[in-house]
Amino acid sequence: MASSGQVVAAAAVLLLMQLATTSASFGARDPPPPALREAQAACVKYLGICDNRLRQYNNSVYPTDQDTMCMVRCAGIMVGFWDDTVGFKLDGLISLFPELAAAAHVQHQILSCAEKRIASCPPQDTCAKAYNGFRCFLDAKKSGFGVKDALPAQSQSLKPFDAQEFIRSLSICSKIQRIPKELRNLYVQGVFPNDEKTRSLIRCVGIRTGLYDDEQGPNIPMLYSLFGAGQTEAEFRRRANICINVNQPLLDAQDKNAQAYVKLYRCFAEQFSALIRANANAMV
């Protein structure tokens, strides 16, 4: 009969083997395409989710918890596979995974699964709805969508940031934040009132576009590329820092939305308003 010490040692070996297997399978998962990874990173920042979770998401691991569900909703709105009004949008996933376009029966399977799972969610829980629809897609992806000759991987590098991308980010973040129509009408005019919804929107846009970071503040080189015509970057930076430094003592260090609103919007309000008015027809 084995001694208690031997039993413990054997159990420890089995546990280590199990952990090694789990770790290997975790690391071996196919990472999401670049556009989805970028959206996940932006949503993790915006929603204040632990960075460790992002490593999971970038290994295609999506635990069943509220943070993850809301991250999936946020990323789904950004890349186009979820809309709170329309629901699950397969076209958004086909743009990320072109091989899915050649598998009509798998598309039907995903949509049928998503319809059933979403119907079982609480009516107001859009995070759970987006997550459960996305899980149907992940289940289908495990089998490679049943396509023998998958299309070659396409380059999905992000487009250079410009005015049109800023306008698109406004629309996306308005959907994420469920911004009411009366506020959206003001935004189209380049007016961003100092209220909680708008402050949250500005932070969302800043994080998604890379114009703002909670730790680093405004991205001055990127802002200069948008608004710096007619002046040197050094002069542009000097003026920006004066505004940021003057307002910093007035801000609550814990209020991330207020920090973003003042440093990103208020310090560049005239430039943002002019940009938006010139491109307002692009907002949806």
Side-chain angles (χ1 to χ4, degrees), residues 42-43 46 74 78 169-170 172-174 176-177 198-210 212 257 260 264:
C43 290
Y46 177 66
C74 175
M78 286 191 179
S169 294
L170 271 178
I172 287 172
C173 287
S174 291
I176 291 173
Q177 282 299 305
T198 303
R199 292 192 294 269
S200 182
L201 172 98
I202 292 295
R203 178 169 171 263
C204 174
V205 170
I207 289 174
R208 184 185 184 277
T209 59
Y212 185 81
N257 291 336
L264 179 59

Side-chain angles (χ1 to χ4, degrees), residues 69-112:
M69 290 181 181
C70 288
M71 189 287 300
V72 168
R73 171 184 174 266
C74 175
I77 291 173
M78 286 191 179
V79 299
F81 68 76
W82 177 258
D83 181 277
D84 287 342
T85 301
V86 177
F88 194 66
K89 299 167 63 180
L90 200 56
D91 287 348
L93 290 170
I94 291 175
S95 69
L96 295 173
F97 300 89
E99 62 269 32
L100 182 57
H105 67 291
V106 179
Q107 294 180 35
H108 176 76
Q109 172 190 328
I110 294 172
L111 290 175
S112 176

Side-chain angles (χ1 to χ4, degrees), residues 106 109-110 113 117 132-145:
V106 179
Q109 172 190 328
I110 294 172
C113 168
R117 289 192 180 183
N132 277 280
F134 187 60
R135 289 297 314 183
C136 291
F137 162 77
L138 292 177
D139 290 344
K141 186 176 181 295
K142 289 178 182 177
S143 63
F145 305 127

